[in-house]
Amino acid sequence: MTGLTTSTVRSLVGLMDMLGAAFSVSSAVRYHRRPSAEDLRRLGINEADFPTRF
């Protein structure tokens, strides 16, 4: 078995960042809080387009 390549590790780290942001945003919405701008950007959501009230 070969080791993980650098590009594979980077892809996995990027995927984990995106999943973390998705979890954070969904938790914030569930508890009627505003998600962080950084998490919204990481998911490709424009903060200005995100609703302020749920």
Side-chain angles (χ1 to χ4, degrees), residues 4-26:
L4 294 173
T5 63
T6 302
S7 63
T8 303
V9 171
R10 285 183 184 150
S11 294
L12 290 172
V13 169
L15 177 62
M16 290 185 337
D17 281 347
M18 200 160 82
L19 289 173
F23 181 75
S24 176
V25 169
S26 67

Side-chain angles (χ1 to χ4, degrees), residues 34 37 40-41 43-51:
R34 182 146 180 91
L40 290 173
R41 282 192 305 272
L43 295 173
I45 300 170
N46 184 354
E47 183 183 5
D49 295 336
F50 198 80

